Amino acid sequence: MKKLTIRLSNGQTQMVCYALSLFFMKGLSLIMLPITTRFLSPVQIGELELLAVTASFIGILLSGCLHEALYRYCSNNNSNQRKQEVANQLFSMTLMISICLATIGLLITTAIEWSASWVLSKDTVLILWLSLTIEGAIAVCLAWLRMQDKIKAFCQICIGTSVLQVTLVIGALLLDFDVIGVLLAGFIAHCAQFFALIYSSQLRFCLPNVRLVNTALSYSLPLMLSSIIAFGLNGAERWFMLQAESLYMVGQYAIAAKFALALCVLIQPFGMWWLPKRYAMLDKNKQKAAKITEIGVIYICIASVSVAVFGQYLLHFALTEQYAFAASLLVGAIFMVLGKEFTELLNLGLLYQKQTRTILWVNFSITLCTVTWCAITYQWGIWSIMISIGCAQLLRAALVYYLSQGCCFLPFRTIRLCLYPLIAISTLISIHNSSPLMSLLLFVISSLLFLAIYQLPAKKTISLQQATSSSIKQEQAHE
């Protein structure tokens, strides 16, 4: 009897490895929820969420998005030695910027007289600054490992760090350290990850070349500003929710957002495999680049519906009664991240042509309008904030797609690209407060619709060049 063997392509193998790594990096925090929610109240969960969001915002400033410059400028060099030199300089630049700015933050926080009425405690903010000193360098090291296809090292470090962090968090909670214990566990785990990455990536500290500094910053700073502005659509909503509701409600939303994070975890293996290779594919085969992007959009839609269907019931079964309200917020939390994931995939042309300033202005205009709207209407409650930000993210994706196509045209099937999100959103609305059987049925129907639309044969079209040459031949024959 012959053994059944399954052979995966190199791309599929990489996606599986990245999926495993991401499961341990982000998925374990989701699996840990039944434990953490039994030790921490919704108010404490809300405090952790605000700290995490604040760290994310400051981390963008400290890292300067220099890992994006690593993708762009290392891929242009054919020499491995030159690639290593560029990576070393970008790593060193990121580390120096992070340490300098984080030290300033530590000194300012220490000097300030901290009010007891403030939402965040002084000790937690100090631990936050310590963690941010190495956050940007870790991002550069991880990006460098992915570019070198060192999948085994990437997996080992990510899995090892995640297991260490989970062990430390459980120990801290058992010893009644609460929020500070969770933060210290994360800081110790990140330090271990930092040293492991330096050893594995072989990146070395050196003084950056002035020319490379100017080139990298001219490319990455607009992306950094763009990310800061985009923070208004993916992070700042927690502060609006705090003003509109309470820290308790922020904690409930944080739980729903953690389950919505499962969507990002499911999508990221595809992104981690595709995003570093998209520019090379764009040079070789635009048709294939457009096809892979469309498959990615379908994958996002199917993943979003599946998380909405199964996440609501996991919330009820896995968590205590005090977190029951989070289940009703899950669909809204998923809707908020849909447009963001679409934008990441569809933003090919603008980045390929290095039009980062255009991306900056798109994010600035959309975010300014959305934040202004939320500042006026946040009194309407948490659902008003979620719907506003979800619609803004979709509008941003549509605008980026339009501008990207004008900058570097790709043979996308535009009507189908519009249908996929419409079906996904309609299904999410229908799933909200539906019965378990009906939700499962809607998931199956929508998945079949996605696949059917993708497989529909395209109409044969005649290009302008073909039409022109054909008309010339007809005129010549007539003469």
Side-chain angles (χ1 to χ4, degrees), residues 27 51 63 76 123 131 137-138 153-154 156 162 170 199 241 249 259 272 275 278 283 299 305 342 370 440 453 465 475:
L51 284 165
S63 68
N76 289 340
D123 291 337
S131 299
I138 288 174
F154 185 93
Q156 288 174 341
S162 301
I170 293 173
Y199 175 78
M241 290 172 186
M249 187 59 71
F259 273 80
M272 293 176 79
L275 295 183
R278 53 186 169 173
D283 286 327
Y299 180 47
V305 176
F342 289 144
T370 308
L440 190 60
I453 293 170
Q465 185 178 1
E475 288 177 5

Side-chain angles (χ1 to χ4, degrees), residues 466-477:
Q466 290 174 331
T468 306
S469 61
S470 177
S471 62
I472 291 171
K473 286 179 181 178
Q474 288 178 2
E475 288 177 5
Q476 289 176 348

Side-chain angles (χ1 to χ4, degrees), residues 65-73 219-220 223 278-279 351:
C65 286
L66 286 170
H67 63 283
E68 293 287 348
L70 185 71
Y71 290 141
R72 192 70 190 95
Y73 293 107
Y219 177 79
S220 65
L223 287 176
R278 53 186 169 173
Y279 301 122
L351 286 176

Side-chain angles (χ1 to χ4, degrees), residues 71-90:
Y71 290 141
R72 192 70 190 95
Y73 293 107
C74 277
S75 59
N76 289 340
N77 291 295
N78 295 323
S79 169
N80 290 330
Q81 183 180 355
R82 179 56 185 159
K83 286 182 180 180
Q84 184 73 42
E85 290 174 1
V86 172
N88 285 335
Q89 292 184 57
L90 289 174

